[in-house]
Amino acid sequence: MTFGEQPAYLRVAGDLRKKIVDGSLPPHTRLPSQARIREEYGVSDTVALEARKVLMAEGLVEGRSGSGTYVRERPVPRRVSRSGYRPDSGATPFRQEQADVAARGTWESRSEQAEASGAIAERLSIPPGDRVMCTKYVFRDAGEAMMLSTSWEPLAVTGRTPVMLPEEGPLGGMGVVERMAAIDVIVDNVTEEVGARPGLAEELLALGGVPGHVVVVIQRTYFASGRPVETADIVVPADRYRVAYHLPVK
């Protein structure tokens, strides 16, 4: 293979991908068999198999037990809105982030005390093992799970206060900024780091994905005078949603 030349399996996968994208192989169509790929492209069984694996890893096709490999329905990506401002109404985080479809949004949550792992302790600038309130969310759009979130708040900040449980009490369901302000903790900065990785098995099970699907992960941390007061991992299926940021110009 000369410099710059693609391996055979990538060239085969690229041609099949083009046919899927342009509609020559529409959704629910059976992908050509390994023998057919071998004959059509003049490649070995190994190359044909590897090409099919590439398409499966990209989420373009799926295997059906005892039936073969089929082109997957390609969802039209919807938008997950992230905002650099907060409305005066003190909207919940989900209503803020899903401003375009807020009326359809619902969520489930569960909070429990836990010990901060090394990674979470570093993000919150607390000693490992310190107590935190861990809250796990499943957000839904018209009943479909579309986003997961796990947040951690130091109990040194919120413990024994009315906002210790994010979804209960007088400010239950409000945003971090509003809840912290109620205990005289003024949030003045937030950071978000965006990355992507293959979804964990439990994440894909909750989100309705298949093994190998990629998720967008947003690592968010709220600060008050430089002190982290909440950090969260937000997980969104990359094949169904795009993360859109609206940032104010100052």
PDB file of all heavy atoms in Angstrom, residues 33-69:
ATOM      1  N   SER A  33     -24.526  -9.064   1.382  1.00  0.00           N
ATOM      2  CA  SER A  33     -23.884 -10.103   2.188  1.00  0.00           C
ATOM      3  C   SER A  33     -22.370 -10.027   2.045  1.00  0.00           C
ATOM      4  O   SER A  33     -21.832  -9.377   1.132  1.00  0.00           O
ATOM      5  CB  SER A  33     -24.365 -11.478   1.748  1.00  0.00           C
ATOM      6  OG  SER A  33     -23.911 -11.743   0.424  1.00  0.00           O
ATOM      7  N   GLN A  34     -21.688 -10.707   2.935  1.00  0.00           N
ATOM      8  CA  GLN A  34     -20.235 -10.728   2.889  1.00  0.00           C
ATOM      9  C   GLN A  34     -19.754 -11.299   1.555  1.00  0.00           C
ATOM     10  O   GLN A  34     -18.812 -10.770   0.949  1.00  0.00           O
ATOM     11  CB  GLN A  34     -19.708 -11.564   4.051  1.00  0.00           C
ATOM     12  CG  GLN A  34     -18.199 -11.512   4.238  1.00  0.00           C
ATOM     13  CD  GLN A  34     -17.776 -12.118   5.558  1.00  0.00           C
ATOM     14  OE1 GLN A  34     -18.325 -11.792   6.599  1.00  0.00           O
ATOM     15  NE2 GLN A  34     -16.788 -13.004   5.516  1.00  0.00           N
ATOM     16  N   ALA A  35     -20.418 -12.337   1.064  1.00  0.00           N
ATOM     17  CA  ALA A  35     -20.037 -12.935  -0.219  1.00  0.00           C
ATOM     18  C   ALA A  35     -20.261 -11.945  -1.360  1.00  0.00           C
ATOM     19  O   ALA A  35     -19.442 -11.841  -2.284  1.00  0.00           O
ATOM     20  CB  ALA A  35     -20.845 -14.212  -0.464  1.00  0.00           C
ATOM     21  N   ARG A  36     -21.374 -11.193  -1.295  1.00  0.00           N
ATOM     22  CA  ARG A  36     -21.679 -10.220  -2.349  1.00  0.00           C
ATOM     23  C   ARG A  36     -20.650  -9.089  -2.351  1.00  0.00           C
ATOM     24  O   ARG A  36     -20.205  -8.639  -3.422  1.00  0.00           O
ATOM     25  CB  ARG A  36     -23.085  -9.663  -2.113  1.00  0.00           C
ATOM     26  CG  ARG A  36     -23.485  -8.555  -3.077  1.00  0.00           C
ATOM     27  CD  ARG A  36     -23.825  -9.102  -4.457  1.00  0.00           C
ATOM     28  NE  ARG A  36     -24.241  -8.031  -5.336  1.00  0.00           N
ATOM     29  CZ  ARG A  36     -25.506  -7.567  -5.409  1.00  0.00           C
ATOM     30  NH1 ARG A  36     -26.455  -8.119  -4.654  1.00  0.00           N
ATOM     31  NH2 ARG A  36     -25.817  -6.592  -6.228  1.00  0.00           N
ATOM     32  N   ILE A  37     -20.279  -8.623  -1.155  1.00  0.00           N
ATOM     33  CA  ILE A  37     -19.270  -7.567  -1.066  1.00  0.00           C
ATOM     34  C   ILE A  37     -17.941  -8.075  -1.622  1.00  0.00           C
ATOM     35  O   ILE A  37     -17.259  -7.374  -2.375  1.00  0.00           O
ATOM     36  CB  ILE A  37     -19.109  -7.113   0.408  1.00  0.00           C
ATOM     37  CG1 ILE A  37     -20.380  -6.403   0.884  1.00  0.00           C
ATOM     38  CG2 ILE A  37     -17.893  -6.197   0.560  1.00  0.00           C
ATOM     39  CD1 ILE A  37     -20.364  -6.051   2.361  1.00  0.00           C
ATOM     40  N   ARG A  38     -17.597  -9.307  -1.291  1.00  0.00           N
ATOM     41  CA  ARG A  38     -16.349  -9.892  -1.770  1.00  0.00           C
ATOM     42  C   ARG A  38     -16.320  -9.933  -3.293  1.00  0.00           C
ATOM     43  O   ARG A  38     -15.324  -9.559  -3.923  1.00  0.00           O
ATOM     44  CB  ARG A  38     -16.211 -11.303  -1.197  1.00  0.00           C
ATOM     45  CG  ARG A  38     -14.922 -12.015  -1.568  1.00  0.00           C
ATOM     46  CD  ARG A  38     -14.999 -13.474  -1.133  1.00  0.00           C
ATOM     47  NE  ARG A  38     -16.060 -14.184  -1.861  1.00  0.00           N
ATOM     48  CZ  ARG A  38     -16.806 -15.160  -1.352  1.00  0.00           C
ATOM     49  NH1 ARG A  38     -16.624 -15.542  -0.092  1.00  0.00           N
ATOM     50  NH2 ARG A  38     -17.726 -15.765  -2.084  1.00  0.00           N
ATOM     51  N   GLU A  39     -17.430 -10.346  -3.891  1.00  0.00           N
ATOM     52  CA  GLU A  39     -17.485 -10.458  -5.357  1.00  0.00           C
ATOM     53  C   GLU A  39     -17.529  -9.095  -6.024  1.00  0.00           C
ATOM     54  O   GLU A  39     -16.842  -8.849  -7.018  1.00  0.00           O
ATOM     55  CB  GLU A  39     -18.725 -11.273  -5.757  1.00  0.00           C
ATOM     56  CG  GLU A  39     -18.671 -12.729  -5.294  1.00  0.00           C
ATOM     57  CD  GLU A  39     -19.990 -13.435  -5.503  1.00  0.00           C
ATOM     58  OE1 GLU A  39     -20.899 -12.813  -6.086  1.00  0.00           O
ATOM     59  OE2 GLU A  39     -20.120 -14.602  -5.082  1.00  0.00           O
ATOM     60  N   GLU A  40     -18.337  -8.187  -5.478  1.00  0.00           N
ATOM     61  CA  GLU A  40     -18.526  -6.882  -6.128  1.00  0.00           C
ATOM     62  C   GLU A  40     -17.270  -6.031  -6.090  1.00  0.00           C
ATOM     63  O   GLU A  40     -16.962  -5.312  -7.047  1.00  0.00           O
ATOM     64  CB  GLU A  40     -19.679  -6.134  -5.453  1.00  0.00           C
ATOM     65  CG  GLU A  40     -19.997  -4.790  -6.105  1.00  0.00           C
ATOM     66  CD  GLU A  40     -21.229  -4.145  -5.499  1.00  0.00           C
ATOM     67  OE1 GLU A  40     -22.010  -4.840  -4.806  1.00  0.00           O
ATOM     68  OE2 GLU A  40     -21.416  -2.928  -5.718  1.00  0.00           O
ATOM     69  N   TYR A  41     -16.527  -6.115  -4.976  1.00  0.00           N
ATOM     70  CA  TYR A  41     -15.360  -5.242  -4.819  1.00  0.00           C
ATOM     71  C   TYR A  41     -14.039  -5.977  -5.056  1.00  0.00           C
ATOM     72  O   TYR A  41     -12.980  -5.351  -5.025  1.00  0.00           O
ATOM     73  CB  TYR A  41     -15.362  -4.614  -3.428  1.00  0.00           C
ATOM     74  CG  TYR A  41     -16.500  -3.637  -3.215  1.00  0.00           C
ATOM     75  CD1 TYR A  41     -17.691  -4.058  -2.627  1.00  0.00           C
ATOM     76  CD2 TYR A  41     -16.389  -2.303  -3.609  1.00  0.00           C
ATOM     77  CE1 TYR A  41     -18.745  -3.171  -2.428  1.00  0.00           C
ATOM     78  CE2 TYR A  41     -17.431  -1.413  -3.419  1.00  0.00           C
ATOM     79  CZ  TYR A  41     -18.604  -1.857  -2.829  1.00  0.00           C
ATOM     80  OH  TYR A  41     -19.647  -0.972  -2.640  1.00  0.00           O
ATOM     81  N   GLY A  42     -14.117  -7.285  -5.266  1.00  0.00           N
ATOM     82  CA  GLY A  42     -12.901  -8.041  -5.517  1.00  0.00           C
ATOM     83  C   GLY A  42     -11.973  -8.070  -4.324  1.00  0.00           C
ATOM     84  O   GLY A  42     -10.755  -7.898  -4.476  1.00  0.00           O
ATOM     85  N   VAL A  43     -12.547  -8.274  -3.146  1.00  0.00           N
ATOM     86  CA  VAL A  43     -11.744  -8.283  -1.922  1.00  0.00           C
ATOM     87  C   VAL A  43     -11.910  -9.622  -1.207  1.00  0.00           C
ATOM     88  O   VAL A  43     -12.747 -10.444  -1.579  1.00  0.00           O
ATOM     89  CB  VAL A  43     -12.163  -7.129  -0.978  1.00  0.00           C
ATOM     90  CG1 VAL A  43     -11.876  -5.784  -1.637  1.00  0.00           C
ATOM     91  CG2 VAL A  43     -13.646  -7.235  -0.605  1.00  0.00           C
ATOM     92  N   SER A  44     -11.148  -9.806  -0.165  1.00  0.00           N
ATOM     93  CA  SER A  44     -11.211 -11.045   0.603  1.00  0.00           C
ATOM     94  C   SER A  44     -12.369 -11.002   1.597  1.00  0.00           C
ATOM     95  O   SER A  44     -12.960  -9.945   1.857  1.00  0.00           O
ATOM     96  CB  SER A  44      -9.899 -11.251   1.367  1.00  0.00           C
ATOM     97  OG  SER A  44      -9.757 -10.251   2.366  1.00  0.00           O
ATOM     98  N   ASP A  45     -12.670 -12.169   2.152  1.00  0.00           N
ATOM     99  CA  ASP A  45     -13.697 -12.233   3.191  1.00  0.00           C
ATOM    100  C   ASP A  45     -13.330 -11.349   4.384  1.00  0.00           C
ATOM    101  O   ASP A  45     -14.194 -10.714   4.985  1.00  0.00           O
ATOM    102  CB  ASP A  45     -13.886 -13.673   3.668  1.00  0.00           C
ATOM    103  CG  ASP A  45     -14.723 -14.506   2.705  1.00  0.00           C
ATOM    104  OD1 ASP A  45     -15.536 -13.914   1.989  1.00  0.00           O
ATOM    105  OD2 ASP A  45     -14.555 -15.739   2.696  1.00  0.00           O
ATOM    106  N   THR A  46     -12.056 -11.328   4.716  1.00  0.00           N
ATOM    107  CA  THR A  46     -11.603 -10.523   5.857  1.00  0.00           C
ATOM    108  C   THR A  46     -11.872  -9.046   5.621  1.00  0.00           C
ATOM    109  O   THR A  46     -12.378  -8.335   6.505  1.00  0.00           O
ATOM    110  CB  THR A  46     -10.102 -10.741   6.111  1.00  0.00           C
ATOM    111  OG1 THR A  46      -9.868 -12.121   6.400  1.00  0.00           O
ATOM    112  CG2 THR A  46      -9.617  -9.884   7.263  1.00  0.00           C
ATOM    113  N   VAL A  47     -11.575  -8.564   4.417  1.00  0.00           N
ATOM    114  CA  VAL A  47     -11.814  -7.154   4.081  1.00  0.00           C
ATOM    115  C   VAL A  47     -13.307  -6.854   4.117  1.00  0.00           C
ATOM    116  O   VAL A  47     -13.742  -5.821   4.648  1.00  0.00           O
ATOM    117  CB  VAL A  47     -11.223  -6.825   2.693  1.00  0.00           C
ATOM    118  CG1 VAL A  47     -11.708  -5.454   2.211  1.00  0.00           C
ATOM    119  CG2 VAL A  47      -9.706  -6.855   2.749  1.00  0.00           C
ATOM    120  N   ALA A  48     -14.119  -7.742   3.550  1.00  0.00           N
ATOM    121  CA  ALA A  48     -15.569  -7.543   3.544  1.00  0.00           C
ATOM    122  C   ALA A  48     -16.115  -7.469   4.965  1.00  0.00           C
ATOM    123  O   ALA A  48     -16.962  -6.619   5.287  1.00  0.00           O
ATOM    124  CB  ALA A  48     -16.253  -8.666   2.771  1.00  0.00           C
ATOM    125  N   LEU A  49     -15.617  -8.340   5.837  1.00  0.00           N
ATOM    126  CA  LEU A  49     -16.073  -8.360   7.225  1.00  0.00           C
ATOM    127  C   LEU A  49     -15.673  -7.078   7.948  1.00  0.00           C
ATOM    128  O   LEU A  49     -16.477  -6.488   8.686  1.00  0.00           O
ATOM    129  CB  LEU A  49     -15.493  -9.576   7.936  1.00  0.00           C
ATOM    130  CG  LEU A  49     -15.833  -9.730   9.427  1.00  0.00           C
ATOM    131  CD1 LEU A  49     -17.339  -9.833   9.618  1.00  0.00           C
ATOM    132  CD2 LEU A  49     -15.130 -10.940  10.002  1.00  0.00           C
ATOM    133  N   GLU A  50     -14.440  -6.644   7.727  1.00  0.00           N
ATOM    134  CA  GLU A  50     -13.966  -5.432   8.398  1.00  0.00           C
ATOM    135  C   GLU A  50     -14.738  -4.205   7.920  1.00  0.00           C
ATOM    136  O   GLU A  50     -15.012  -3.293   8.706  1.00  0.00           O
ATOM    137  CB  GLU A  50     -12.467  -5.238   8.157  1.00  0.00           C
ATOM    138  CG  GLU A  50     -11.580  -6.248   8.865  1.00  0.00           C
ATOM    139  CD  GLU A  50     -11.792  -6.220  10.375  1.00  0.00           C
ATOM    140  OE1 GLU A  50     -11.807  -5.116  10.960  1.00  0.00           O
ATOM    141  OE2 GLU A  50     -11.948  -7.307  10.977  1.00  0.00           O
ATOM    142  N   ALA A  51     -15.103  -4.163   6.649  1.00  0.00           N
ATOM    143  CA  ALA A  51     -15.889  -3.040   6.127  1.00  0.00           C
ATOM    144  C   ALA A  51     -17.251  -2.978   6.799  1.00  0.00           C
ATOM    145  O   ALA A  51     -17.741  -1.906   7.176  1.00  0.00           O
ATOM    146  CB  ALA A  51     -16.051  -3.161   4.618  1.00  0.00           C
ATOM    147  N   ARG A  52     -17.872  -4.135   6.984  1.00  0.00           N
ATOM    148  CA  ARG A  52     -19.173  -4.190   7.663  1.00  0.00           C
ATOM    149  C   ARG A  52     -19.036  -3.745   9.121  1.00  0.00           C
ATOM    150  O   ARG A  52     -19.902  -3.055   9.656  1.00  0.00           O
ATOM    151  CB  ARG A  52     -19.743  -5.603   7.584  1.00  0.00           C
ATOM    152  CG  ARG A  52     -20.219  -5.984   6.187  1.00  0.00           C
ATOM    153  CD  ARG A  52     -20.224  -7.499   5.987  1.00  0.00           C
ATOM    154  NE  ARG A  52     -21.156  -8.176   6.880  1.00  0.00           N
ATOM    155  CZ  ARG A  52     -22.430  -8.440   6.577  1.00  0.00           C
ATOM    156  NH1 ARG A  52     -22.913  -8.060   5.411  1.00  0.00           N
ATOM    157  NH2 ARG A  52     -23.215  -9.079   7.419  1.00  0.00           N
ATOM    158  N   LYS A  53     -17.919  -4.119   9.754  1.00  0.00           N
ATOM    159  CA  LYS A  53     -17.683  -3.713  11.143  1.00  0.00           C
ATOM    160  C   LYS A  53     -17.562  -2.198  11.253  1.00  0.00           C
ATOM    161  O   LYS A  53     -18.031  -1.593  12.228  1.00  0.00           O
ATOM    162  CB  LYS A  53     -16.415  -4.379  11.684  1.00  0.00           C
ATOM    163  CG  LYS A  53     -16.557  -5.863  11.985  1.00  0.00           C
ATOM    164  CD  LYS A  53     -15.253  -6.407  12.561  1.00  0.00           C
ATOM    165  CE  LYS A  53     -15.365  -7.888  12.918  1.00  0.00           C
ATOM    166  NZ  LYS A  53     -14.074  -8.411  13.449  1.00  0.00           N
ATOM    167  N   VAL A  54     -16.930  -1.567  10.273  1.00  0.00           N
ATOM    168  CA  VAL A  54     -16.782  -0.110  10.282  1.00  0.00           C
ATOM    169  C   VAL A  54     -18.158   0.556  10.239  1.00  0.00           C
ATOM    170  O   VAL A  54     -18.454   1.478  11.013  1.00  0.00           O
ATOM    171  CB  VAL A  54     -15.922   0.368   9.090  1.00  0.00           C
ATOM    172  CG1 VAL A  54     -16.019   1.884   8.921  1.00  0.00           C
ATOM    173  CG2 VAL A  54     -14.477  -0.044   9.287  1.00  0.00           C
ATOM    174  N   LEU A  55     -19.009   0.105   9.330  1.00  0.00           N
ATOM    175  CA  LEU A  55     -20.348   0.689   9.204  1.00  0.00           C
ATOM    176  C   LEU A  55     -21.163   0.471  10.467  1.00  0.00           C
ATOM    177  O   LEU A  55     -21.956   1.341  10.871  1.00  0.00           O
ATOM    178  CB  LEU A  55     -21.065   0.089   7.993  1.00  0.00           C
ATOM    179  CG  LEU A  55     -20.409   0.335   6.639  1.00  0.00           C
ATOM    180  CD1 LEU A  55     -21.196  -0.373   5.541  1.00  0.00           C
ATOM    181  CD2 LEU A  55     -20.311   1.824   6.341  1.00  0.00           C
ATOM    182  N   MET A  56     -20.991  -0.686  11.105  1.00  0.00           N
ATOM    183  CA  MET A  56     -21.721  -0.966  12.338  1.00  0.00           C
ATOM    184  C   MET A  56     -21.222  -0.065  13.464  1.00  0.00           C
ATOM    185  O   MET A  56     -22.016   0.483  14.246  1.00  0.00           O
ATOM    186  CB  MET A  56     -21.566  -2.435  12.713  1.00  0.00           C
ATOM    187  CG  MET A  56     -22.508  -2.897  13.817  1.00  0.00           C
ATOM    188  SD  MET A  56     -22.553  -4.704  13.984  1.00  0.00           S
ATOM    189  CE  MET A  56     -23.401  -5.177  12.471  1.00  0.00           C
ATOM    190  N   ALA A  57     -19.911   0.134  13.544  1.00  0.00           N
ATOM    191  CA  ALA A  57     -19.341   1.000  14.578  1.00  0.00           C
ATOM    192  C   ALA A  57     -19.779   2.443  14.386  1.00  0.00           C
ATOM    193  O   ALA A  57     -19.915   3.192  15.362  1.00  0.00           O
ATOM    194  CB  ALA A  57     -17.817   0.904  14.553  1.00  0.00           C
ATOM    195  N   GLU A  58     -20.016   2.847  13.144  1.00  0.00           N
ATOM    196  CA  GLU A  58     -20.461   4.210  12.859  1.00  0.00           C
ATOM    197  C   GLU A  58     -21.961   4.381  13.083  1.00  0.00           C
ATOM    198  O   GLU A  58     -22.494   5.487  12.960  1.00  0.00           O
ATOM    199  CB  GLU A  58     -20.114   4.586  11.412  1.00  0.00           C
ATOM    200  CG  GLU A  58     -18.625   4.714  11.170  1.00  0.00           C
ATOM    201  CD  GLU A  58     -18.286   4.981   9.715  1.00  0.00           C
ATOM    202  OE1 GLU A  58     -19.212   4.903   8.861  1.00  0.00           O
ATOM    203  OE2 GLU A  58     -17.121   5.279   9.430  1.00  0.00           O
ATOM    204  N   GLY A  59     -22.645   3.281  13.416  1.00  0.00           N
ATOM    205  CA  GLY A  59     -24.076   3.370  13.667  1.00  0.00           C
ATOM    206  C   GLY A  59     -24.922   3.446  12.410  1.00  0.00           C
ATOM    207  O   GLY A  59     -26.118   3.742  12.483  1.00  0.00           O
ATOM    208  N   LEU A  60     -24.340   3.150  11.250  1.00  0.00           N
ATOM    209  CA  LEU A  60     -25.088   3.224   9.991  1.00  0.00           C
ATOM    210  C   LEU A  60     -25.883   1.957   9.724  1.00  0.00           C
ATOM    211  O   LEU A  60     -26.896   1.990   9.009  1.00  0.00           O
ATOM    212  CB  LEU A  60     -24.135   3.492   8.823  1.00  0.00           C
ATOM    213  CG  LEU A  60     -23.435   4.851   8.843  1.00  0.00           C
ATOM    214  CD1 LEU A  60     -22.402   4.934   7.723  1.00  0.00           C
ATOM    215  CD2 LEU A  60     -24.453   5.976   8.701  1.00  0.00           C
ATOM    216  N   VAL A  61     -25.425   0.832  10.269  1.00  0.00           N
ATOM    217  CA  VAL A  61     -26.125  -0.438  10.061  1.00  0.00           C
ATOM    218  C   VAL A  61     -26.243  -1.151  11.407  1.00  0.00           C
ATOM    219  O   VAL A  61     -25.537  -0.820  12.368  1.00  0.00           O
ATOM    220  CB  VAL A  61     -25.384  -1.341   9.043  1.00  0.00           C
ATOM    221  CG1 VAL A  61     -25.247  -0.658   7.695  1.00  0.00           C
ATOM    222  CG2 VAL A  61     -24.011  -1.746   9.585  1.00  0.00           C
ATOM    223  N   GLU A  62     -27.136  -2.114  11.467  1.00  0.00           N
ATOM    224  CA  GLU A  62     -27.307  -2.901  12.683  1.00  0.00           C
ATOM    225  C   GLU A  62     -27.534  -4.352  12.316  1.00  0.00           C
ATOM    226  O   GLU A  62     -28.148  -4.669  11.286  1.00  0.00           O
ATOM    227  CB  GLU A  62     -28.499  -2.377  13.500  1.00  0.00           C
ATOM    228  CG  GLU A  62     -29.823  -2.433  12.760  1.00  0.00           C
ATOM    229  CD  GLU A  62     -30.950  -1.813  13.554  1.00  0.00           C
ATOM    230  OE1 GLU A  62     -30.726  -1.403  14.707  1.00  0.00           O
ATOM    231  OE2 GLU A  62     -32.080  -1.727  13.018  1.00  0.00           O
ATOM    232  N   GLY A  63     -27.034  -5.239  13.156  1.00  0.00           N
ATOM    233  CA  GLY A  63     -27.232  -6.663  12.931  1.00  0.00           C
ATOM    234  C   GLY A  63     -28.529  -7.136  13.554  1.00  0.00           C
ATOM    235  O   GLY A  63     -28.893  -6.704  14.655  1.00  0.00           O
ATOM    236  N   ARG A  64     -29.233  -7.999  12.847  1.00  0.00           N
ATOM    237  CA  ARG A  64     -30.459  -8.595  13.362  1.00  0.00           C
ATOM    238  C   ARG A  64     -30.248 -10.099  13.427  1.00  0.00           C
ATOM    239  O   ARG A  64     -29.941 -10.731  12.410  1.00  0.00           O
ATOM    240  CB  ARG A  64     -31.655  -8.253  12.476  1.00  0.00           C
ATOM    241  CG  ARG A  64     -31.940  -6.753  12.393  1.00  0.00           C
ATOM    242  CD  ARG A  64     -33.116  -6.443  11.502  1.00  0.00           C
ATOM    243  NE  ARG A  64     -33.288  -5.006  11.321  1.00  0.00           N
ATOM    244  CZ  ARG A  64     -34.183  -4.456  10.491  1.00  0.00           C
ATOM    245  NH1 ARG A  64     -34.984  -5.238   9.767  1.00  0.00           N
ATOM    246  NH2 ARG A  64     -34.271  -3.142  10.392  1.00  0.00           N
ATOM    247  N   SER A  65     -30.399 -10.628  14.617  1.00  0.00           N
ATOM    248  CA  SER A  65     -30.102 -12.033  14.855  1.00  0.00           C
ATOM    249  C   SER A  65     -30.830 -12.944  13.882  1.00  0.00           C
ATOM    250  O   SER A  65     -32.049 -12.872  13.727  1.00  0.00           O
ATOM    251  CB  SER A  65     -30.483 -12.402  16.296  1.00  0.00           C
ATOM    252  OG  SER A  65     -30.200 -13.743  16.563  1.00  0.00           O
ATOM    253  N   GLY A  66     -30.051 -13.775  13.177  1.00  0.00           N
ATOM    254  CA  GLY A  66     -30.606 -14.751  12.255  1.00  0.00           C
ATOM    255  C   GLY A  66     -31.126 -14.175  10.955  1.00  0.00           C
ATOM    256  O   GLY A  66     -31.676 -14.899  10.124  1.00  0.00           O
ATOM    257  N   SER A  67     -30.946 -12.852  10.758  1.00  0.00           N
ATOM    258  CA  SER A  67     -31.512 -12.223   9.559  1.00  0.00           C
ATOM    259  C   SER A  67     -30.472 -11.535   8.701  1.00  0.00           C
ATOM    260  O   SER A  67     -30.585 -11.507   7.481  1.00  0.00           O
ATOM    261  CB  SER A  67     -32.598 -11.222   9.969  1.00  0.00           C
ATOM    262  OG  SER A  67     -33.150 -10.582   8.845  1.00  0.00           O
ATOM    263  N   GLY A  68     -29.468 -10.941   9.317  1.00  0.00           N
ATOM    264  CA  GLY A  68     -28.456 -10.239   8.537  1.00  0.00           C
ATOM    265  C   GLY A  68     -28.199  -8.850   9.090  1.00  0.00           C
ATOM    266  O   GLY A  68     -28.549  -8.536  10.230  1.00  0.00           O
ATOM    267  N   THR A  69     -27.596  -8.013   8.275  1.00  0.00           N
ATOM    268  CA  THR A  69     -27.240  -6.652   8.659  1.00  0.00           C
ATOM    269  C   THR A  69     -28.071  -5.678   7.818  1.00  0.00           C
ATOM    270  O   THR A  69     -28.137  -5.814   6.591  1.00  0.00           O
ATOM    271  CB  THR A  69     -25.738  -6.392   8.438  1.00  0.00           C
ATOM    272  OG1 THR A  69     -24.987  -7.393   9.158  1.00  0.00           O
ATOM    273  CG2 THR A  69     -25.339  -5.025   8.927  1.00  0.00           C
TER     274      THR A  69
END
